[in-house]
Amino acid sequence: YPSGNLAIIVTRETDQLICIVQEDEPRTAKIRALFQSDGRSTCYYPNGDEWINMSIQGGQYLDQAGNRVRRWTWPNLLPGPHVPLSPIFISLNRHVGVRILAQDKIFVSFLAMGRQAKFNLGTKVQAGAASQLPPPTRLGEEELLLLAFRVRILQLFDRMRGCLNFPSSEQWNKMQPPTYLMTQAVKILELCMAADISDELRSSIRAIVNA
């Protein structure tokens, strides 16, 4: 961002790429969107509530009250009739926008200081791929809370190390957490989406990892 805060991170974990969009904040930045090369993606409102959620089957768009505004399925995956996608464009903030045109045409655009960068984060999943994927891991409430607090504690330790390394300046306050911690936070949010837990607990866990 023009402020110097990190906006977009692309990292690799095992056999897939993950793109993370962060909010323009000096401290531990909130995750505004994440896109994975296996077809799963999620965008969040500024308060952390889910905005758009996509999988290899399709996606859904939610309003800020949590009500589903629209739903669609990708035409190449499931046989028979499908719910078509109407193009979607949202602004995560004044610099980052997301445009969803098709499964393989999901664009993240970054505009600042008169210059623009555009990323195509869509992917094409072949028919039958859904049956080859393992079912998502489902954890209980206590396990999810423990994982969230573990990441939060590691984040605090990382900030303490930054403070010790830069005791006479505020530079440590702008340092981003290590990539592995951001990846772990993303994984916990994914597990929350797959778990059978209340929306209140899901919001609490999201607040812990994004604090």
Side-chain angles (χ1 to χ4, degrees):
Y1 291 105
S3 62
N5 298 323
L6 194 59
I8 297 174
I9 303 167
V10 179
T11 182
R12 177 179 293 277
E13 181 180 345
T14 60
D15 59 345
Q16 70 170 316
L17 292 173
I18 300 175
C19 176
I20 303 170
V21 180
Q22 297 191 139
E23 189 53 274
D24 187 6
E25 297 175 348
R27 302 197 178 201
T28 304
K30 295 179 180 178
I31 296 174
R32 293 302 312 279
L34 62 96
F35 303 88
Q36 299 181 210
S37 57
D38 64 359
R40 293 178 294 170
S41 303
T42 308
C43 300
Y44 300 97
Y45 284 105
N47 64 357
D49 290 343
E50 184 181 318
W51 194 344
I52 294 176
N53 181 268
M54 292 178 285
S55 68
I56 60 173
Q57 285 84 20
Q60 62 178 357
Y61 183 115
L62 306 175
D63 63 19
Q64 296 193 60
N67 302 311
R68 188 168 66 189
V69 176
R70 67 175 82 172
R71 179 180 64 87
W72 68 90
T73 54
W74 304 123
N76 67 309
L77 186 64
L78 300 175
H82 67 278
V83 182
L85 166 68
S86 298
I88 294 174
F89 176 77
I90 62 172
S91 295
L92 297 179
N93 54 41
R94 60 182 298 187
H95 297 290
V96 184
V98 177
R99 188 182 298 273
I100 304 170
L101 304 178
Q103 187 181 30
D104 59 344
K105 295 180 180 179
I106 300 173
F107 300 97
V108 172
S109 58
F110 178 81
L111 177 64
M113 303 175 69
R115 304 183 67 180
Q116 183 181 40
K118 183 182 291 186
F119 308 88
N120 186 358
L121 303 175
T123 182
K124 202 75 169 178
V125 180
Q126 298 299 320
S131 62
Q132 300 171 7
L133 294 176
T137 304
R138 297 183 182 273
L139 300 179
E141 296 181 359
E142 293 182 357
E143 293 171 302
L144 289 170
L145 279 172
L146 286 174
L147 287 173
F149 279 120
R150 177 181 179 274
V151 168
R152 180 59 183 150
I153 291 170
L154 291 174
Q155 290 172 345
L156 291 173
F157 277 130
D158 181 72
R159 292 182 62 187
M160 289 174 60
R161 283 193 295 269
C163 185
L164 292 174
N165 291 334
F166 304 96
S168 59
S169 79
E170 295 184 358
Q171 184 177 357
W172 65 270
N173 201 31
K174 293 186 177 181
M175 296 178 63
Q176 299 296 324
T179 302
Y180 79 92
L181 284 181
M182 291 186 289
T183 301
Q184 288 185 23
V186 168
K187 286 297 183 184
I188 292 172
L189 294 176
E190 290 179 357
L191 292 172
C192 283
M193 296 306 302
D196 184 17
I197 60 177
S198 66
D199 291 338
E200 182 179 359
L201 179 59
R202 189 175 288 113
S203 297
S204 297
I205 292 174
R206 187 182 300 117
I208 292 171
V209 300
N210 284 330

